[in-house]
Amino acid sequence: MLLHFAIYTTLFLTVSHGASLPNLSNEHSLDDGDKGGGKRTRDPGYVRMPVSRQKFKSKGKSKRGWHWGTPTDPQNDSPSLKSNQPFQPTHASSSTRPTPTLTRITRSPPTQQSPTLHRRAADRRWGWSNLEELGGIAYIIQLDIGTPPQKVRVFVDTGSYELWVNPRCSTSASDSLCQTFGNYFPSKSNSAMHIGGNFAVTYGTGAVRGSYWSDVMSIAMLQIPQVQFAVAADSNYTFAGILGLGYAYPYSIPYPSVLNLMVSQKMISAPIFSLGLGGDGDGFSEIIFGGVNRWKFAGPLVPVSIWPPVKEQDPRWVQYWVNVTSVGLTKPKEAGKLYTPREGFSMPTLIDTGSTLSYIREDLVAVIGQQFNAEIDTQGNYFVDCKYRDVAGTVDFGFNSGAMVINVRYKDFIYQLYPGRCMLGVQPADYGSTYYVLGDTFIRGAYLVFDQQSDVVWMNQYYNCGDGVVTVGQTPRDTENVVGAC
């Protein structure tokens, strides 16, 4: 069981585009790992996963591989694209909104147990793991890598597509926190193989570079032989590695990802995983590869198509974009109000567990902020009174022209930096940018199934009334047959 502790660290929820690695004088051996050498180059802080994502190294030209099926639109309500060019979000030309502030990170020990196994492990086609919540900032999964196994914990990130480990703690946002997540040392594993090649990633804050290795890995009750992943030689800002669960081979990378290998090794039926983060601080966050926990929602799951369709996205960077068709708010004892047109509204948005906050159109942020009497700082960030976290209202996000609406409780939507200091759960995207993100302040209100087999994100309102896992992916779109038990 993980230790329960809290630390204070400086939090920078920035929206920078193009952070770069610092010039660090000390070299680190991949076999030796991070010895903690070198001087810290910045105050402690938090790595914000995207607004700016990877710079692509692969060509992404393959038409075959681990992607099945053709893009579908079950509701036929997605807007037409105006161009035949692959979809790419519009980015702002510069960064204007860093947010330095102080936060308390509380790590609670997971209290839920693994779902009861109704069949022998050899027959089971899914894998379950609890996720460790870091005070609403990010969600962590444990990996066991190598022979004998070395325990490493990494961020779960639906907005990227590669696995890497071993951040350089001495230049990370928090040296002490970084040290608790563990390191992988290839020299201590009898099954490690060095692949080589260059790995380099730039995030919204921070960057990492290293080379590729291969080793056996256990994750979510599944043991995968010879997984390829990157071992960092140098990094800044991030204090944990990252497990990317986006569309990988043959789009963004030329080798199979962890999710791809689960399928090829017949551990799961298709590249599908479900995610239930649960409420802020509830301690019930989980991920299931190849299965759905039907005791985390009520009624059927609703298919929300990847939009723009996969075939119309940049093949080097296929993402879980969905079309938000309404945004509103429901105050206690009042009828819900829409802040978007009832018909014709469209806002393609990336669902990203790697982003603590959500980023949408500034006009919508402004009108939502008014409902909470928000204050705007000099950098354009919206802050609200923490008392609203105890109010029984919801912020409402609609999909499929209202066929599915996720109601996010104020408590899960308003992000508490530290006691007495809270941020609005949605913040403006950079000026001139259409790179909209639904981060953890949205995801906590939903039960989500990311289905690369059918290019769909299945959704319903999140509840927690028990545990019971059902295998999905045995046939395309069989997730629609799963009915929630709550």
Side-chain angles (χ1 to χ4, degrees), residues 156-235:
V156 171
D157 185 16
T158 59
S160 65
Y161 39 76
E162 289 194 88
L163 168 64
W164 70 270
V165 298
N166 289 18
R168 186 176 183 180
C169 292
S170 61
T171 57
S172 72
S174 172
D175 193 341
S176 59
L177 182 60
C178 177
Q179 298 288 350
T180 69
F181 289 116
N183 281 315
Y184 164 75
F185 304 113
S187 62
K188 297 181 180 180
S189 173
N190 298 328
S191 48
M193 294 193 301
H194 185 237
I195 296 174
N198 295 321
F199 169 77
V201 176
T202 298
Y203 295 103
T205 49
V208 58
R209 65 183 176 215
S211 64
Y212 290 100
W213 289 76
S214 176
D215 209 335
V216 63
M217 178 182 300
S218 293
I219 175 176
M221 306 189 297
L222 304 172
Q223 184 168 332
I224 311 172
Q226 299 310 319
V227 175
Q228 181 172 330
F229 56 96
V231 177
D234 198 4
S235 67

Side-chain angles (χ1 to χ4, degrees), residues 372 384 388-389 410-416 422-423 425:
F372 295 96
V384 300
Y388 287 107
R389 285 171 53 88
Y410 286 178
K411 177 188 175 184
D412 300 324
F413 176 76
I414 296 171
Y415 175 62
Q416 182 172 274
C422 289
M423 294 186 76

Side-chain angles (χ1 to χ4, degrees), residues 6-26:
I7 70 168
Y8 283 94
T9 184
T10 305
L11 172 65
F12 293 91
L13 289 174
T14 74
V15 226
S16 67
H17 299 284
S20 59
L21 285 166
N23 293 322
L24 301 173
S25 57
N26 289 8

